[in-house]
Amino acid sequence: MDSRVRKRLSAEGRRARIIAASISAFARDGYDATKMDAIAAGAGITKPVLYDHFPSKQALFLAVLQSIRDGLLARGEAIAQEGAGPEQRFRRSVDAFLAFVEQAPEAARVLLTIPAGDPVAAQVSREVQAGASAGIAALLTTFMPGWAPWRLQASAAFLKEGLHAIAVWWLDHPGPRRAEIVEIVLETTWRGLQRQTR
């Protein structure tokens, strides 16, 4: 008998398996075309067990997005606490995001694609993106102390959208090395931010 059938997962382990299966399904089929049956099968559980953890596909999608976003923000916050100078910390933050894109391309596609056919899921995606913008704005305060809140928020929105755009491009054109993409971001954003602080 398959050892996976014999071994009983903890609720936390089962939830992690569901999230992983959901990321693969959403990345492969898109939110609208993904079926809960496919997620249950991918996670190795029954559909009723899936609904025990998540009452709807929308609730599952929210949990997936929050999990991805929170992991990214935790990376950024750790870098912001480092003793390096502002430019080095900014570079490491950009590199950490692009490392995520490189190492977890399915999760990156799920995070960066707003569903088109389900207004509730689209709103969930936008709300998670707004949380990411707020996190970036908080990180920017460590680079740009004294900036007005509106300037931090506007810069964070610009950076987030720019990073997302270049990440999607890179996923579709995987030739350049990560370090080269980091340099593009530094040249097009950090230099301008730096000038505004003078």
Side-chain angles (χ1 to χ4, degrees):
M1 182 178 279
D2 190 336
S3 61
R4 289 175 300 178
V5 175
R6 289 180 174 276
K7 185 177 179 182
R8 183 171 176 79
L9 286 173
S10 66
E12 185 177 317
R14 191 176 297 112
R15 182 182 172 91
R17 183 178 281 187
I18 292 168
I19 295 289
S22 302
I23 288 171
S24 294
F26 289 141
R28 181 183 64 245
D29 301 325
Y31 174 85
D32 298 315
T34 295
K35 305 296 183 194
M36 293 293 268
D37 301 270
I39 292 172
I45 59 173
T46 64
K47 197 171 172 184
V49 170
L50 175 58
Y51 279 108
D52 282 344
H53 287 271
F54 299 97
S56 67
K57 185 167 77 165
Q58 292 164 345
L60 175 54
F61 186 61
L62 173 60
V64 165
L65 291 180
Q66 288 176 331
S67 173
I68 297 168
R69 180 203 62 196
D70 293 349
L72 281 170
L73 289 176
R75 289 187 193 194
E77 288 167 5
I79 291 167
Q81 301 304 316
E82 293 176 359
E87 182 173 352
Q88 191 60 31
R89 282 182 285 132
F90 186 84
R91 177 185 293 277
R92 288 180 186 166
S93 297
V94 171
D95 184 65
F97 173 73
L98 292 172
F100 154 74
V101 173
E102 185 175 48
Q103 295 159 8
E106 288 184 333
R109 285 199 183 274
V110 173
L111 179 69
L112 302 174
T113 305
I114 295 178
D118 184 325
V120 174
Q123 183 59 32
V124 162
S125 183
R126 290 189 192 95
E127 288 171 3
V128 168
Q129 296 287 357
S133 293
I136 293 171
L139 291 175
L140 282 178
T141 62
T142 68
F143 305 132
M144 313 297 176
W147 272 26
W150 72 265
R151 178 170 280 197
L152 289 167
Q153 292 162 10
S155 297
F158 176 80
L159 283 171
K160 186 198 71 175
E161 292 300 325
L163 282 170
H164 286 190
I166 202 166
V168 169
W169 180 89
W170 192 34
L171 285 168
D172 293 335
H173 305 84
R177 292 179 298 109
R178 188 171 89 221
E180 294 174 305
I181 303 297
V182 171
E183 283 306 317
I184 289 173
V185 175
L186 265 288
E187 288 296 327
T188 56
T189 56
W190 177 256
R191 310 295 183 244
L193 288 170
Q194 203 173 32
R195 281 194 292 271
Q196 291 186 59
T197 63
R198 291 172 183 162

